[in-house]
Amino acid sequence: ITLRWLAGSHLSRCATPGAAPSIEALQQPVGRAIQTGGMGIPALIKCFFVVECVIFGPFALHHYLACANTKQLEHLSSNRVAWLVLHSGEMLHGVGALLVLFVVLNALIINEVSTIELEIILLAHSLWLGTIIAFWPLAKDAAILHIPLWCGAAAVCFSYVESWSLVLDAFVIVYGRVKYKSDVYPNIISGGDYAADMARFREFCLGHDREDPKYTAV
């Protein structure tokens, strides 16, 4: 049986209870949360996407495109391999940020968004929030940006995403706290060395006298 025959009268008749779907229905995109048929993206989601672009766009570009800060790297370590690891981590962080930014921009440009796109956005913000919780003493400044964005993402996406996806979002956030307790705190933060090193690092970042011998590479 050819596709031409299937597209004939058996599928082109008006839809009635028990009738086969029309060829136009078969051609519709699958899994769309909101389509562009005059309605577009709900206003609340669109407002969040605009805010996401304005706040998150520069952040994403900064991480992916920024050049190495050699003064800061020299302050942290004299090991060039450590420099490579730190700077590559910065660029990798920008990869995920730019992917989220692309999803948001694409939704705004075509004026429609799918459930999977909303799930990706919420999961990405949940992963970042979990990372902030895991590395809280160092990442608390990033919380100023990410916590409001996560709250906004949760508010606008909650009604559209699958329940199992919400469970996954909660899991990755809780895992951040587990990692802090089981790995970050006992291996990095406990002891007096961390507090002294962090105070020294913050003074350096704030632009205090960088020629002082105490700011030489460690």
Side-chain angles (χ1 to χ4, degrees), residues 66-212:
C67 297
N69 186 334
T70 54
K71 285 291 185 182
Q72 191 176 80
L73 292 172
E74 286 174 357
H75 174 71
L76 290 171
S77 175
S78 59
N79 188 320
R80 294 298 178 111
V81 176
W83 291 17
L84 181 65
V85 172
L86 289 168
H87 193 50
S88 64
E90 186 82 359
M91 192 172 185
L92 285 172
H93 191 48
V95 171
L98 282 176
L99 285 174
V100 172
L101 185 62
F102 173 81
V103 170
V104 172
L105 283 174
N106 178 70
L108 289 174
I109 291 170
I110 67 175
N111 196 37
E112 67 178 38
V113 65
S114 68
T115 54
I116 188 63
E117 287 168 336
L118 293 176
E119 287 168 346
I120 288 172
I121 291 169
L122 183 55
L123 178 59
H125 283 294
S126 297
L127 287 166
W128 276 310
L129 183 60
T131 303
I132 289 171
I133 293 173
F135 297 92
W136 174 252
L138 183 61
K140 61 183 179 181
D141 294 335
I144 298 173
L145 171 67
H146 283 286
I147 289 180
L149 286 176
W150 179 86
C151 292
V156 301
C157 298
F158 183 84
S159 300
Y160 298 96
V161 301
E162 299 290 340
S163 56
W164 70 266
S165 181
L166 295 173
V167 172
L168 178 60
D169 296 329
F171 173 80
V172 297
I173 294 173
V174 172
Y175 173 74
R177 187 60 181 173
V178 172
K179 184 173 180 63
Y180 172 81
K181 289 287 190 179
S182 63
D183 182 19
V184 177
Y185 181 81
N187 295 321
I188 300 176
I189 298 174
S190 60
D193 291 342
Y194 171 81
D197 290 343
M198 176 55 74
R200 178 169 166 266
F201 178 66
R202 287 190 179 279
E203 287 180 357
F204 178 85
C205 291
L206 291 173
H208 293 183
D209 187 6
R210 296 180 182 182
E211 301 302 323
D212 192 300

